[in-house]
Amino acid sequence: MAALWKSEFVSTAFFVVSFCLTICAEVVQGQGTPRFPALLVLGDSTLDAGNNNGINTPAKSNFAPYGRDFPGGVPTGRFSNGKLTSDFLASALGIKETIPAYLDPQLTSNDLVTGVTFASAGSGYDNATAESGNVISFDQQISYFRQYQSRLRGIVGEQEASRIISDSLYYIGTGSADFGVSYFNFNPRNLRYNRSLQFTISQYVDYLISLGAGYIQKLYNAGARKMLVGGLSILGCSPSERTYLALAGRPCNDRINQASNEFNRKWEPTLARLQASLPGSTIVYSDIYNIAVQAVQNPSYYGFLEVTRGCCGTGLAEVGQQCRQAARLSCPDADRFIYWDSVHPTQRMYQVIANVVMERDIPTLLN
Ligand SMILES: *[C@@H]1O[C@H](CO)[C@@H](O)[C@H](O)[C@H]1NC(C)=O
Ligand SMILES: *[C@@H]1O[C@H](CO)[C@@H](O)[C@H](O)[C@H]1NC(C)=O
C-alpha cells in the first residue's frame, strides 16, 4: 500500500505539486537520498543564523526574547522567534532540520557537508550597507564560501566536494537593508552612506541590480549552479516603516514599497538573462513580495491576527537590543503575528514563505 502510494506520486506531477506542502520531503528524497546534497545560503538578517554573534556590530539577536520558539528556546542569532525560511527549506528538502551559521565555533564536519549560511544581518548588495553596520559584505560572504570549499575538500575529498558544490541548492536573499539602512533610514552619523543624496530611487535600483548580477556571476565562477534568488518583500509595510511614516491608521509606506517593486521588476529579467548566459546554471527568481501581500491582506487565512505591529516589545519600533530591553511587553503567541520585531517576520511567516517556495520554485530547480 505504501509502495503503491509512493509510485503514484512519482507518476503524477500535479498530485505531487498540490500535496507538496505536507509531504514534499518524502517526494524530493526519493530513495532516501536528498536531491540536493546541501543547502548553502548567502544574504542578510532574514537568512543569518548567528554569523554576527562574534562580530563587533550592533546587528545582533543572540539573546532573549529572540529564539524563544526555536528548538530548546535558544537565541541563536536568528532575527526571529524561531526558525528561518532556509531552515524550513532544508527540512522540507530532507537535508536537515536547521542551517547553521558558517562562523559558529561549534560547527562540525557534518554541518559543513550538508550546508551552512554565510548570511549576515545588516548586509546588502551595496558594500556601504555592510560597512555602516560593520557586518559581513556580500563579497566577504563569497570569500567565506571559497574557504568553505577547501574545508569541504579536506573532509570528503576532491571529487565528492566538487559534486556537493555543483549539485547543492544556493539560496540568496539580500537587498532589504540597502533600502532600509542606506537609502530610506540611513544612520545620520554616517552621512556619506545617505544613498538618497547620491541616487534617485531608480538609479539606486539599477546600481543594486548591477552589483547583484556581478555577485551571481561570481558565485557561478566559484562553482554554484542551482540558485534560488529572493526578491524584496513589502519593505514599506514593516512595523518600523509604518511607525516612521507616522500617519493615522499606520498605513504602509508606498514610496518604499514602490522601490521594492521596481527592484523586483528589474531583478527577475536580469536573473533570466544571467541564466541564459551561464551554461549549466538554473537561476530562479523567488517572489517574496506577493506572498507577503497575501498575508497582509488576508491574515486570517494563515492564522494571523496582527499585521501592523511586531510581537517583541511594543511592536512599534523595537529590533535587536531594544527587543531585549522591552522583552516583558512581548506578545504571548507569536504565531498570530506576521512580524516578530519591527523589521523581521515571525517563524510562522517564514514557514508560510517556505511552503510557497517549495511548491512554486523548487520544482524548477529539481529538473
Ligand atoms: C566592495 O568591496 C570589495 C572588497 O571588500 C571590493 O572588492 C569591491 O570592488 C567593492 N565593490 C564596489 C562596487 O565598490
Ligand atoms: C539624506 O538625503 C535626503 C535626500 O537628499 C534628505 O532628504 C535627507 O534630509 C538627508 N538626510 C540627512 C540627515 O542629511
Side-chain angles (χ1 to χ4, degrees):
M1 178 65 196
L4 180 68
W5 198 59
K6 231 175 184 170
S7 70
E8 270 182 25
F9 277 126
V10 176
S11 61
T12 318
F14 282 120
F15 196 48
V16 170
V17 169
S18 59
F19 279 77
C20 200
L21 292 188
T22 44
I23 45 74
C24 239
E26 198 175 339
V27 173
V28 172
Q29 274 178 285
Q31 300 304 315
T33 313
R35 288 286 300 275
F36 301 109
L39 176 58
L40 292 154
V41 181
L42 298 95
D44 60 20
S45 54
T46 58
L47 295 167
D48 184 355
N51 283 312
N52 284 5
N53 293 358
I55 295 177
N56 181 21
T57 172
K60 287 190 207 234
S61 61
N62 54 338
F63 38 74
Y66 286 94
R68 70 181 201 188
D69 299 310
F70 195 80
V74 189
T76 56
R78 285 170 177 79
F79 277 78
S80 167
N81 57 309
K83 295 182 183 181
L84 307 176
T85 301
S86 42
D87 298 316
F88 288 115
L89 288 180
S91 160
L93 290 166
I95 298 171
K96 55 182 169 186
E97 290 309 304
T98 55
I99 296 291
Y102 179 64
L103 298 182
D104 181 347
Q106 316 283 314
L107 210 63
T108 66
S109 295
N110 198 42
D111 289 332
L112 287 168
V113 171
T114 49
V116 292
T117 175
F118 305 96
S120 173
S123 189
Y125 290 115
D126 184 351
N127 277 347
T129 305
E131 221 177 289
S132 77
N134 196 32
V135 298
I136 307 165
S137 68
F138 208 95
D139 252 298
Q140 183 59 43
Q141 292 181 35
I142 295 177
S143 301
Y144 280 135
F145 170 50
R146 290 190 176 276
Q147 182 192 70
Y148 163 89
Q149 296 186 17
S150 62
R151 291 175 72 181
L152 188 64
R153 282 187 213 104
I155 297 165
V156 298
E158 190 72 41
Q159 208 178 342
E160 176 64 358
S162 300
R163 187 188 74 88
I164 292 171
I165 292 156
S166 62
D167 289 359
S168 288
L169 178 62
Y170 293 79
Y171 187 36
I172 297 134
T174 193
S176 311
D178 293 321
F179 286 105
V181 174
S182 301
Y183 200 93
F184 291 109
N185 309 311
F186 73 98
N187 183 343
R189 281 170 309 197
N190 285 332
L191 202 53
R192 69 198 166 106
Y193 297 131
N194 187 356
R195 290 302 199 194
S196 53
L197 294 171
Q198 300 159 13
F199 297 98
T200 65
I201 289 175
S202 287
Q203 285 169 343
Y204 194 53
V205 165
D206 292 345
Y207 178 62
L208 294 180
I209 298 276
S210 74
L211 294 173
Y215 289 132
I216 297 295
Q217 171 83 55
K218 235 176 159 172
L219 277 171
Y220 176 86
N221 295 346
R225 290 295 177 272
K226 300 169 183 187
M227 299 185 237
L228 175 65
V229 188
L232 296 181
S233 190
I234 41 172
L235 301 179
C237 294
S238 68
S240 71
E241 297 298 355
R242 290 177 192 266
T243 300
Y244 289 138
L245 195 61
L247 294 177
R250 297 179 54 73
C252 300
N253 185 322
D254 286 336
R255 191 160 165 262
I256 298 180
N257 281 346
Q258 279 159 21
S260 312
N261 240 322
E262 184 175 342
F263 176 88
N264 294 338
R265 271 203 318 276
K266 291 178 172 171
W267 197 209
E268 183 170 15
T270 302
L271 292 171
R273 275 197 298 276
L274 280 163
Q275 174 180 270
S277 73
L278 301 173
S281 70
T282 308
I283 305 175
V284 175
Y285 168 76
S286 183
D287 170 72
I288 306 294
Y289 193 97
N290 289 296
I291 304 174
V293 167
Q294 289 292 319
V296 167
Q297 288 180 351
N298 195 6
S300 60
Y301 179 80
Y302 304 93
F304 296 127
L305 293 174
E306 177 57 67
V307 166
T308 73
R309 288 172 178 241
C311 171
C312 93
T314 63
L316 295 174
E318 296 93 336
V319 58
Q321 287 290 348
Q322 298 150 331
C323 277
R324 178 182 358 218
Q325 283 147 16
R328 66 193 169 78
L329 301 174
S330 300
C331 77
D333 184 2
D335 282 355
R336 301 278 169 253
F337 285 65
I338 290 179
Y339 290 93
W340 160 248
D341 61 22
S342 69
V343 177
H344 304 99
T346 52
Q347 148 170 281
R348 173 73 189 123
M349 184 60 201
Y350 279 130
Q351 187 177 35
V352 166
I353 294 169
N355 288 346
V356 175
V357 169
M358 274 309 289
E359 189 173 353
R360 184 194 62 191
D361 302 335
I362 294 293
T364 312
L365 287 147
L366 283 170
N367 286 334

